Amino acid sequence: MGKRSRQRQRNQSAAGRDDRDKAGWGAGYADIIKENKLFEHYYKELGLVPDGEFEQFMEAMREPLPATIRITGYKSHAKEILHCLKEKYFKDILELEFEGQKIEAPQPLSWYPDEQAWHTNMSRKIIRKSPLLEKFHQFLVSETESGNISRQEAVSMIPPLLLKIESHHKILDMCAAPGSKTAQLIEMLHADMEVPFPEGFVIANDVDNKRCYLLVHQAKRLNSPCIMVVNHDASCIPTLKIDVEGKKDILFYDRILCDVPCSGDGTMRKNIDVWKKWTTSNSLHLHGLQLRIAVRGVEQLAVGGRMVYSTCSLNPIEDEAVIAALLEKSEGALELADSSADLPGLKWMPGVTSWKLMTKEGQWFSDWSDVPSSRHTQIRPTMFPPKDPEKLASMHLERCMRILPHHQNTGGFFVAVLVKKAPMPWNKRYPKLRKEASSLSAAQSGDSPAASTPADTTPHLPESAAEEAEVEGPEGKIDGEAEEEAPKGAAVAQESTAKQDGVCGPPASKKMRLFGYKEDPFVFLTEDDPVFTTIQSFYDLSPNFPKLNVLTRTHEGKKRHLYMVSKELRNVLLNNSERMKVINTGVKVWSRNSDGEEFGCAFRLAQEGIYTLQPYIRSRIIRVSVEDIKVLLTQENPFLSKLEDDAHAQAKKLVMGSIVLKYIPNPNTPAEPQCPIQLCGWRGKTSIRAFVPRNERFHYLRMLGVEVFRDKQGLGQKLKDEGKEEVAKDAEEEVEAVENEAELDSENGDENGSSQPKVDSGSQGTSS
């Protein structure tokens, strides 16, 4: 797609959005009346809402959903962002009114840890259109794009919290797009910023090829080497293999997020067309798929591991019915965990143990025996509660959690936490967590002693036996296991080629290539690759730098970009090229710079990977102060003499080329940022510059007390520092990008562009 086409598309979407905003809340849905008699009749009859609260429930469903934001928890800048929000933006919002509606000051979600999530009654329209909130809106857009803030519905934040993730966990997100929950999972893996490569990883999957690219865009904001995006049908996601001490083993996950496709009746507050489209047949059509995905999930879960099943539907057919069927099939291998104490402050209703089913014509069925044979293809036995009272009681369905919109002004949601106590009855193999994780999980979930047996005692089955164990399902063979592969000889040949060349190419199955884009291969470099010769000497890489984790996306020609993945993801990539469609993985650490060769190295550092790479770099580092960073981020090509004496002296000792600009906080000066800052830069002949993406540049300036905003007329960016105002004349495209909310544009181009705010110190600006 050409640049003009993208620009035209942006202009059209912006115009459409403006039209919707002028029409008021729910714009674009002006003809949709928020009523559905069948919906009201169905949920009244089911009795899911407590007595006397049904009217409140329906009123809440008709109200717009509050705006909710979440601060990226793993970044060391989280505390600085929270301070910035509270002291600058939230104070400005107090006592504001917009079109007669009083705007409430944002409040932290009581159940989310460390005040990292906030909500307010401001709708998207109010945030975008109120002149008084212009700065706040631009702050949200800019910080979202740079990955420091995520706009995410409150209830959507619950499942990752209930997974209780630790840095060594292998995690599968089965239905991941658009990626807000995936981002949370990545954050939790990186809870300790001092560890550039956590042992764990996240494999994020989605069946929709186009939505996978939105998922990539979300994940890329977090710059993690521990995320892989794949494109498969979750109900038949392939079993992956890894090398464990020289032997092929099956990959079982410590944590699985199973957020399945659903009818979405809990989202009526934001997806207003659900009012018009909702019927009970939606749930009937989805139940089978939801159960197949959940079954495939627990098959791939390690013993002692946790799987969270969630939907944004309130319907028991999609919720408790799926969980009950799963527990029944498991024959005691699965157990519902009691999560009542995990999120103090969250209001929820316990799961129900009885429900009935209604067709879209309004006909009710309470038991499978009542269903006429003509409806047996549409209505299945697993949609009804178990008949045996003892079996039903042993399932503890009351441990499921249903969130109702009127209790805490949220969307509707359902979540259940499952713990795997033993292998599934149809699996012959006995998967276990790794040694260090198993005892921890056993303590968390009260596992049996068998579940905490060290992983190294796991019997290694022959390949054929392992494959056989994979394919047997609760009803014979599961759809998911009958994956189409290339003829055996071809697969073996391809696998051996991959081993020799360190290449993970596209999957062998022709079926995979019938949809989506053909992805470039993932080619791992060898330790003696010529690329490393100059990189090693120029940046003085430490001896423990993991060269084998570096990959590129081309077989032939010059390598344009170099990426890094964790050791564990490398293991997954190299052993599964024939059975997995990988869309994206790795974080960019170096980019080719044609001018660089004359200075001793053809590759410059990339800002995306600086926090991953910097611990291994021992030269080309300049320690800078707060004032130095302000100069570097507000001036295009400042002379070296503009730096303070200490940084100036360090810079003069370095030859021209790529550099790291490193700020280390001083606890004795609390007025300055108390988080480390690392920026990529370039040491020129007489000048120095920072190579930092625009929104990330604005983020760092805000952290340093410099307020960055665009005036209402679009005249440019304004930088205000301690009462002195300067106008920054940004390029027109950048202003448009902010207005069009670039965080939703998955084709965001080269993030390491050198777009600087150009400061004219003689101009005076006015605050908007």
Side-chain angles (χ1 to χ4, degrees), residues 637-649:
N637 266 320
F639 288 113
L640 293 174
S641 57
K642 289 284 186 80
L643 298 177
E644 293 188 342
D645 293 346
D646 185 25
H648 187 196

Side-chain angles (χ1 to χ4, degrees), residues 6 35 64 87 90 141 163 214 220 289 341 349 351 434 472 515 522 612 621-622 645 714 738 764:
R6 285 201 298 272
E35 278 191 19
E87 297 303 314
F90 291 169
V141 171
L163 277 171
L214 181 58
K220 269 189 173 300
L289 173 64
M349 298 296 296
R434 285 171 306 155
E472 289 304 315
F515 59 92
F522 296 86
T612 299
I621 299 170
I622 299 176
D645 293 346
V738 174
Q764 289 294 320

